[in-house]
Amino acid sequence: MDGSSELKKTPLHALNISLGARMVPFAGYEMPVQYAAGVMKEHLHTRASAGLFDVSHMGQVTVRARSGDNADAARALETLVPVDVLGLGEGRQRYALFTNDAGGILDDLMIANRGDHFYVVVNAACKEADFAHMQAKIGDTCELTLHDDRALIALQGPHAEAVLAELWADVSSMRFMDVRACDLHDADCIVSRSGYTGEDGFEISIPASLAEAVCRRLLDHPDVLPIGLGARDSLRLEAGLCLYGNDIDTTTTPVEAGLEWAIQKVRRTGGARPGGFPGAAVILDQLENGASRRRVGLKAEGRAPVRGGAVLATDAEDVVGTVTSGGFGPNADGPVAMGYVTKSAIAPGTQLYAGVRGKFLPITVAAMPFVKNTFKR
Amino acid sequence: MLKFTEEHEWLKIEGGVATVGITVHAAEQLGDLVFVELPEVGATFEKGGDAATVESVKAASDVYCPLDGEIVEVNEAITADPSLVNSDPQGAGWFFKLKLANPADADSLLDEAAYKELVG
C-alpha cells in the first residue's frame, strides 16, 4: 500500500532530505528513521556528544483560560490528568497522562506553565484525538489552539547545553524541566530542558518558517549530528521511557505502567484535591492497593534482541506477561526490553523466559533505566 | 558462478556447493546488525525456508534458503561480530555453505546484471 501521497511533511522535510535521511511513514507523517550515520552511530553519538531530532510531528497545543486567569486553565487541565497542574510554577514543565473513565491511558504528554497560558505537547498519533478530547471537556472554559505553524526539535546529549549556549547564553541557567521563551537566530522560540533520551538536553519549539535556519545553525556545530526515529526509539528504551501505543495505551493504567511518580500527593486520596480526573476510582484504588500486573525492565542473557509481543513465562511454563518494547541497547551493549508481568514476577532479579522464534530465551527482570540518566536537576 | 535472488542473497557456486550471503544492497537496507542466528550444520532446507535470522537495532529479518540443500558449513565469525556483515557483506560476511540438492536449479536464479537491474 503506497500512502506516501497522503503523508504530511514537517517544516524540516527539505532539510531532512538534504541531510540524507531515509524517510518512512510514521503517525501520518513522512519522518526520518535514520540519516547517513545509521541507527547505531546516531544512538552512540547522542549519548557521547549531541544529537538533533526533528519531532515536529508531535502536537503543540496552547491552553488559555477564557476568564484570563491561568489558574482556571490549570483547574480545567486537572479534570483531564491525575497531575498537580495548579501547583506547577510559572516556567516549569511536568509529565502528565490523559486518562479515560476506566483508568486507562489516552496519551502521555508534557504540560508547561507559560505564565498566562499552558503549553502542552502530545504524541503525534494521538494529537487529533487529544485535541478533540480537550475541546469537548474543557473547551467551554479554555481557548485551545493546535500549533501546526510551529516546528519542534530536540537537542539531546552531554554537549547539548554547550551547543545551544552558542546561540543563547542564558540556557546554562535552566534546570531540568524549566521552560523559557527565547530568541534563537531571530526566531521566537520556546525552550524546555527535557527530552526523550535519558540525556540532558532541550526541546525547542520554533516558528515553522524559521525552523530550518535554526537547525542549520545547530548542525553547523561539529558536535551535532542529525538523529532519526530509529535511534530515538533505542535511546528512549535504554532510558526506560514509555512509548505510547507500545508500553502504555487505553488498556494500561498509570499504576500498572509504573508511572505513580507522575501522580502528585495532592491528587491522591488524602491530598488537597484528590481524584477529579477520569478513571480516578480505579487509579486511586490501585495507588492504595497495588495493581495485578506491572511494567518492568527486562535484560536478556544472550545477544538475541527480545522484541515487543514476545511472551514471558516462568521455568514452569506459566505465562506471566508480555514484552511491549524491546531491542538492542547500544550503550547497554546487549538486548534490553520492557513489558508487563503479573505481580508475583515484578521483583528485579526474577528469572523468566521470553518466547523468540519458537525458543524460550532466559531473561531477567531488571531495574530501569538501563543507562544512568544525566538530567541537570 | 555468482548468482542472486530477489530476496537479496548472493550465491557463489563451486562444485555443487553454494556459499550464501546477503547483498551489499540488503546490508545497507538493514543497517547495523547486532545479532545473527545461523542454521545448524547438517540441517536441510527447501528453497524459501527460514535459514538464518539477522537483527538490526530496529528489527529482525529472515534470511531465506535460496535453493534446496543441506548446510555444510556456517560462518561463526558473523555471530561473534555481526558488523562483519555490514562491512563486507559479499566477502567475509558470508552466512553459510549449502550443498545443493539439484545444482541445475541455480540456472533459475538471477545473474549479476539482472540483480543490479532489480535494485536499480
Side-chain angles (χ1 to χ4, degrees):
Chain A
M1 192 173 73
D2 180 19
S4 58
S5 58
E6 298 145 37
L7 292 174
K8 290 186 270 189
K9 294 179 168 72
T10 76
L12 297 168
H13 186 265
L15 176 64
N16 286 324
I17 299 290
S18 76
L19 292 168
R22 184 185 299 172
M23 305 298 282
V24 297
F26 183 84
Y29 283 80
E30 196 181 334
M31 295 299 293
V33 67
Q34 65 167 77
Y35 296 85
V39 176
M40 181 77 87
K41 285 197 183 73
E42 290 171 24
H43 177 115
L44 294 170
H45 184 88
T46 303
R47 293 228 191 280
S49 184
L52 183 70
F53 303 72
D54 177 11
V55 289
S56 304
H57 57 318
M58 298 184 78
Q60 304 179 62
V61 181
T62 50
V63 181
R64 213 174 273 275
R66 295 190 189 279
S67 67
D69 179 356
N70 204 31
D72 287 338
R75 277 185 277 270
L77 284 166
E78 285 200 354
T79 67
L80 304 179
V81 300
V83 169
D84 177 11
V85 185
L86 211 49
L88 181 63
E90 183 174 342
R92 295 288 293 162
Q93 173 174 277
R94 186 165 271 171
Y95 180 74
L97 303 152
F98 286 136
T99 51
N100 67 17
D101 290 338
I105 300 171
L106 293 169
D107 198 5
D108 63 342
L109 61 146
M110 285 289 188
I111 299 178
N113 182 344
R114 301 272 297 115
D116 61 351
H117 69 280
F118 284 88
Y119 166 70
V120 170
V121 178
V122 301
N123 281 301
C126 303
K127 69 182 176 184
E128 311 296 338
D130 288 346
F131 191 73
H133 176 62
M134 294 168 79
Q135 198 68 264
K137 295 286 171 86
I138 64 170
D140 53 341
T141 55
C142 298
E143 186 193 332
L144 302 161
T145 310
L146 181 58
H147 289 276
D148 281 333
D149 56 340
R150 296 186 76 89
L152 189 67
I153 59 169
L155 181 68
Q156 301 278 296
H159 296 184
E161 179 185 307
V163 170
L164 195 54
E166 294 193 6
L167 274 70
W168 183 50
D170 284 359
V171 69
S172 302
S173 65
M174 291 180 76
R175 288 183 299 138
F176 182 59
M177 295 296 227
D178 275 353
V179 181
R180 301 248 189 97
C182 75
D183 197 7
L184 294 183
H185 200 60
D186 293 329
D188 165 25
C189 295
I190 304 162
V191 176
S192 71
R193 192 158 200 160
S194 57
Y196 192 46
T197 59
E199 296 297 319
D200 181 27
F202 303 88
E203 292 172 303
I204 309 168
S205 168
I206 315 170
S209 60
L210 300 169
E212 183 171 332
V214 173
C215 287
R216 285 195 185 277
R217 272 297 299 275
L218 294 169
L219 288 164
D220 277 344
H221 196 290
D223 291 355
V224 179
L225 272 186
I227 311 295
L229 293 183
R232 184 171 163 83
D233 190 52
S234 55
L235 286 159
R236 71 88 196 168
L237 176 62
E238 276 186 344
L241 299 170
C242 292
L243 172 62
Y244 190 82
N246 280 41
D247 309 303
I248 48 175
D249 59 28
T250 54
T251 71
T252 63
T253 70
V255 178
E256 290 170 345
L259 300 172
E260 297 97 329
W261 55 268
I263 308 175
Q264 287 75 25
K265 281 211 171 73
V266 295
R267 304 302 307 277
R268 300 188 184 198
T269 304
R273 299 187 305 283
F277 51 85
V282 173
I283 293 166
L284 294 180
D285 176 71
Q286 288 187 350
L287 279 169
E288 299 260 305
N289 303 311
S292 61
R293 59 175 187 157
R294 187 173 181 83
R295 183 176 62 94
V296 296
L298 299 156
K299 276 193 116 160
E301 278 166 32
R303 298 294 291 176
V306 176
R307 305 204 185 258
V311 165
L312 295 165
T314 64
D315 55 2
E317 296 180 22
D318 290 328
V319 171
V320 291
T322 311
V323 174
T324 50
S325 283
F328 184 84
N331 288 88
D333 192 29
V336 289
M338 62 175 85
Y340 285 81
V341 295
T342 193
K343 199 158 62 173
S344 60
I346 64 173
T350 303
Q351 177 72 65
L352 298 174
Y353 297 85
V356 176
R357 292 186 289 273
K359 293 178 199 160
F360 275 88
L361 307 179
I363 193 165
T364 307
V365 176
M368 289 188 287
F370 300 108
V371 293
K372 194 172 162 13
N373 72 47
T374 57
F375 305 140
K376 190 184 165 190
R377 305 251 181 210
Chain B
M1 179 169 56
L2 191 60
K3 289 285 189 179
F4 295 84
T5 71
E6 289 176 6
E7 286 77 34
H8 309 287
E9 290 139 326
W10 57 266
L11 300 82
K12 191 174 160 199
I13 305 168
E14 289 165 324
V17 175
T19 303
V20 178
I22 64 169
T23 64
V24 171
H25 173 80
E28 282 171 0
Q29 290 299 310
L30 289 167
D32 305 305
L33 297 186
V34 296
F35 178 76
V36 177
E37 188 166 34
L38 293 170
E40 302 273 333
V41 170
T44 59
F45 291 94
E46 291 182 359
K47 178 179 178 171
D50 296 342
T53 302
V54 293
E55 303 235 17
S56 68
V57 180
K58 271 199 75 61
S61 310
D62 292 319
V63 176
Y64 303 111
C65 199
L67 291 171
D68 297 356
E70 179 189 342
I71 305 292
V72 292
E73 193 179 340
V74 295
N75 185 8
E76 297 290 359
I78 64 170
T79 54
D81 180 8
S83 73
L84 267 181
V85 178
N86 294 105
S87 58
D88 191 9
Q90 291 182 213
W94 63 276
F95 276 59
F96 51 80
K97 294 187 180 179
L98 182 73
K99 187 170 192 299
L100 301 179
N102 309 295
D105 290 350
D107 296 343
S108 63
L109 300 175
L110 306 173
D111 62 19
E112 191 160 11
Y115 180 71
K116 279 191 170 153
E117 193 163 318
L118 177 77
V119 298

